[in-house]
Amino acid sequence: MMYTSSMKSLKMVMVKLMTFFMLIEVITCQFGFGFGGGLNMNYYLMSCPFVEPVVKNIVNRALDNDPTLAAALIRMHFHDCFIQGCDGSILLDSTKDNTAEKDSPANLSLRGYEVIDDIKDELENRCPGVVSCADILAMAATEAVFYAGGPVYNIPKGRKDGRRSKIEDTRNLPSPSFNASELITQFGQHGFSAQEMVALSGAHTLGVARCSSFKNRLSQVDPALDTEFARTLSRTCTSGDNAEQPFDATRNDFDNVYFNALLRKNGVLFSDQTLYSSPRTRNIVNAYAMNQAMFFLDFQQAMVKMGLLDIKQGSNGEVRSNCRKIN
């Protein structure tokens, strides 16, 4: 009798365990913890289990010294993914036979390469040949968002590093002179909706723009630009093309102040203000200006999606030992 009772109890436990694991599998599939192309949230769990703490510690240390690097790391990740996919191609140095992406005029203001180098050096010491530069950059951008006060989110890993980096490919980067329709079209070519495009544009809640990218707006009256703010931009440009203008009043804080600035016609770039000027995207800007939590949620989802663009796998990629050059 005791034996029968024990067997029934064991069966009940087994059924509950099976139910539990099936539930976990359903949740995993539903919320995207497993990804195509070999990417996985726990990709380095066995091969390099301390990868995330290493990335977090080095990024935090760098941002403690220079908080403006948060914007730089996020921008670098974006510029990497929009050219040939998220494959670390933006990190490659030019050679005597090739001018790389980072030396394009569109990328000359990128910063933070030394942060990626420091992370790579530490990981190569701990688990050589395992963690790709593309993954390091993607994780560094995620940590930068969180450090600046933005949403906490995890990303899948397992990207391989690309072997191509050519200056001519940077023509596919969005221009600061694009209007909303052009932005929607270009982001749409990468599979993003208009709302996802606006959410990703919200990364301009951090950082600055150089005068060279907005001075053309000042040569004539722009009805989409507040008159007093136009004077502010003009004063900035008296210091030359490299003079910097923050995108919003909280340049080092990840928040929705950027969208509220657009409501006041205080968008620095034409491609910023057009998001509010255009009927196609105005309601999205209004929503994010009123609801920061909504912006955070949409931004993190769009960032995870961006991190999956044209990833390299297998023989199409490698794990560089030095992020600045192919093996």
Side-chain angles (χ1 to χ4, degrees):
M1 193 75 173
M2 289 181 60
Y3 175 79
T4 303
S5 177
S6 297
M7 287 296 293
K8 287 182 178 179
S9 298
L10 181 60
K11 286 181 179 180
M12 289 180 63
V13 169
M14 292 298 292
V15 168
K16 289 181 178 179
L17 281 173
M18 289 178 66
T19 303
F20 172 76
F21 286 120
M22 288 174 66
L23 179 61
I24 291 296
E25 185 175 354
V26 169
I27 293 174
T28 298
C29 293
Q30 181 177 351
F31 290 96
F33 289 96
F35 293 80
L39 269 63
N40 191 284
M41 292 293 189
N42 297 315
Y43 186 85
Y44 296 113
L45 182 62
M46 302 302 294
S47 58
C48 195
F50 30 72
V51 58
E52 292 180 17
V54 167
V55 173
K56 176 183 282 291
N57 289 340
I58 293 178
V59 168
N60 286 355
R61 186 165 66 239
L63 297 186
D64 284 342
N65 292 329
D66 182 3
T68 67
L69 282 173
L73 290 172
I74 297 167
R75 183 167 176 246
M76 190 189 299
H77 179 44
F78 175 86
H79 281 226
D80 182 41
C81 291
F82 259 59
I83 305 298
Q84 301 294 319
C86 307
D87 63 353
S89 56
I90 190 63
L91 304 172
L92 289 170
D93 286 341
S94 295
T95 65
K96 63 178 182 179
D97 300 318
N98 179 66
T99 304
E101 294 170 24
K102 64 167 55 172
D103 289 322
S104 163
N107 287 330
L108 290 178
S109 61
L110 290 182
R111 302 184 300 124
Y113 295 108
E114 69 283 352
V115 180
I116 306 302
D117 291 338
D118 289 346
I119 296 170
K120 183 61 174 175
D121 289 345
E122 179 65 23
L123 291 175
E124 284 299 302
N125 287 333
R126 295 183 179 226
C127 40
V130 174
V131 184
S132 69
C133 300
D135 272 348
I136 290 172
L137 178 53
M139 288 186 282
T142 301
E143 294 298 339
V145 170
F146 177 57
Y147 181 96
V152 181
Y153 61 98
N154 197 4
I155 58 170
K157 294 89 175 172
R159 300 164 188 78
K160 291 294 188 291
D161 297 321
R163 301 184 182 93
R164 173 190 172 95
S165 182
K166 293 187 176 294
I167 187 173
E168 56 264 31
D169 293 337
T170 61
R171 64 180 179 271
N172 295 317
L173 287 170
S175 167
S177 63
F178 274 8
N179 61 35
S181 294
E182 290 170 315
L183 289 170
I184 289 171
T185 297
Q186 186 164 49
F187 276 74
Q189 291 170 353
H190 293 283
F192 293 104
S193 66
Q195 181 146 349
E196 289 170 330
M197 179 273 290
V198 176
L200 288 172
S201 298
H204 282 179
T205 182
L206 298 174
V208 299
R210 293 188 175 186
C211 172
S212 57
S213 63
F214 60 80
K215 66 179 181 180
N216 290 342
R217 302 185 67 195
L218 308 175
S219 58
Q220 56 189 0
V221 177
D222 183 349
L225 182 62
D226 175 76
T227 303
E228 184 56 40
F229 190 62
R231 295 192 186 99
T232 297
L233 297 181
S234 295
R235 286 193 294 271
T236 297
C237 286
T238 59
S239 299
D241 281 358
N242 289 329
E244 297 178 341
Q245 174 67 38
F247 283 114
D248 65 23
T250 57
R251 60 174 287 181
N252 294 325
D253 296 331
F254 198 100
D255 49 34
N256 67 340
V257 173
Y258 163 80
F259 292 107
N260 282 280
L262 301 186
L263 270 57
R264 301 190 304 273
K265 297 184 177 182
N266 282 5
V268 176
L269 303 178
F270 180 82
S271 58
D272 291 321
Q273 194 59 51
T274 188
L275 302 178
Y276 187 66
S277 303
S278 171
R280 299 179 69 180
T281 50
R282 182 180 300 136
N283 289 340
I284 306 170
V285 172
N286 279 325
Y288 291 160
M290 290 187 294
N291 191 335
Q292 181 170 279
M294 178 184 179
F295 163 51
F296 277 21
L297 178 61
D298 288 354
F299 178 82
Q300 68 186 52
Q301 291 177 342
M303 284 290 283
V304 171
K305 181 175 178 177
M306 186 182 77
L308 301 176
L309 288 178
D310 301 322
I311 56 171
K312 306 296 187 295
Q313 285 289 297
S315 60
N316 291 325
E318 63 184 16
V319 175
R320 294 182 210 138
S321 56
N322 180 335
C323 290
R324 294 175 178 265
K325 59 184 182 181
I326 61 176
N327 293 340

